[in-house]
Every structure is written in C-alpha cells, then in structure tokens.
Amino acid sequence: MSESEIDWYGPDAATLGDRILAAREAAGMTQAQLARRVGIKKATLVGWEEDLSEPRANRMSMMAGVLNVSIMWLMTGEGEGMDGPQGDNTPQNLADVLRELRMLRSEIRTSSERAARLEKRLVALIDEPVA
C-alpha cells in the first residue's frame, strides 16, 4: 500500500485525539489558542488530544468550525478533513523549535509543581497521629 493510499486519520489508524491534534497543528494553532476559541480550558483540550476524555456535541461542532473540518471527520476520519500528515512534522525553523521548547518547559514546570503538592500531601498523611 502506497503512502497516498493510507487512510492516515481513519478509525483504524487514528483516534479522535489524533485528529484534533493534527487539525489544530494544520491550522497553525496552539492548544491555548484553540481552547480559547472553543471556550474551554487548555487542560480540557489536552485531555481530548490525549484521548482521556471526549468533547460534547456542541464543543465538537465549534471545534470543527474553528479547524475547518467536518464533525464527521473529527469523529471517524471520514468526510471533509485532512488527507494525511502535513509535511514531515519536523520544525521548519528555529522559532518553531524555540516555541516547542518553551511549551515543554511549561509542562515540566506544571508537572513539577503537581509532584511537589502530592509529596506534601503524602508527608502530611505519614505524619498523622494514629488514633
């Protein structure tokens, strides 16, 4: 099967999250930008892209409009959407690399803060007097 015959975003090859991510990147939007346009928190969008949760119909409709794809394509990979990966998915210039690095640093900082909160809770539980 040649690369042009592969159904990159069909139900057997991609998830809803994969299609949201691909359409967002093709639209040149960050997670924060798409979340703001759809009226949700960035964490909600991250959950959708990571297939941890799914959008309700009204948000799916809004997202399809913003990303210029059909709702059917978002849900199943069939219909008006994208044919395959856009380009070779490598950064085209140093600004792209810098933007991605800054996003990664932000995610690491958030994870580190979460780990510190969990550690604090665990220490508090360990130090509780046994009744």
Side-chain angles (χ1 to χ4, degrees), residues 44-101:
T44 301
L45 179 62
V46 169
W48 295 348
E49 288 186 353
E50 293 179 358
D51 293 306
L52 300 174
S53 60
E54 293 183 357
R56 291 181 299 190
N58 63 331
R59 298 296 183 197
M60 183 85 78
S61 176
M62 290 174 66
M63 190 166 31
V66 168
L67 296 175
N68 199 30
V69 296
S70 72
I71 295 174
M72 186 58 70
W73 183 84
L74 278 178
M75 293 188 320
T76 67
E78 298 173 0
E80 295 295 318
M82 298 172 25
D83 295 328
Q86 304 297 307
D88 62 357
N89 292 333
T90 58
Q92 297 300 312
N93 58 44
L94 293 176
D96 290 341
V97 174
L98 181 59
R99 186 173 22 261
E100 186 173 350
L101 180 60

Side-chain angles (χ1 to χ4, degrees), residues 9-62:
Y9 298 112
D12 295 334
T15 65
L16 170 65
D18 294 333
R19 288 185 287 275
I20 293 170
L21 173 69
R24 177 181 58 76
E25 287 181 343
M29 299 177 78
T30 65
Q31 289 176 325
Q33 289 169 328
L34 179 57
R36 188 171 36 255
R37 296 270 311 267
V38 178
I40 58 171
K41 294 180 180 180
K42 179 183 168 192
T44 301
L45 179 62
V46 169
W48 295 348
E49 288 186 353
E50 293 179 358
D51 293 306
L52 300 174
S53 60
E54 293 183 357
R56 291 181 299 190
N58 63 331
R59 298 296 183 197
M60 183 85 78
S61 176
M62 290 174 66

Side-chain angles (χ1 to χ4, degrees), residues 1-10 12-13 83:
M1 180 178 276
S2 73
E3 188 169 315
S4 62
E5 295 172 353
I6 297 172
D7 187 7
W8 287 100
Y9 298 112
D12 295 334
D83 295 328

Side-chain angles (χ1 to χ4, degrees), residues 31 42 102-112:
Q31 289 176 325
K42 179 183 168 192
R102 286 179 176 159
M103 287 175 39
L104 178 60
R105 289 180 65 204
S106 174
E107 292 169 8
I108 290 170
R109 188 177 318 111
T110 301
S111 294
S112 177

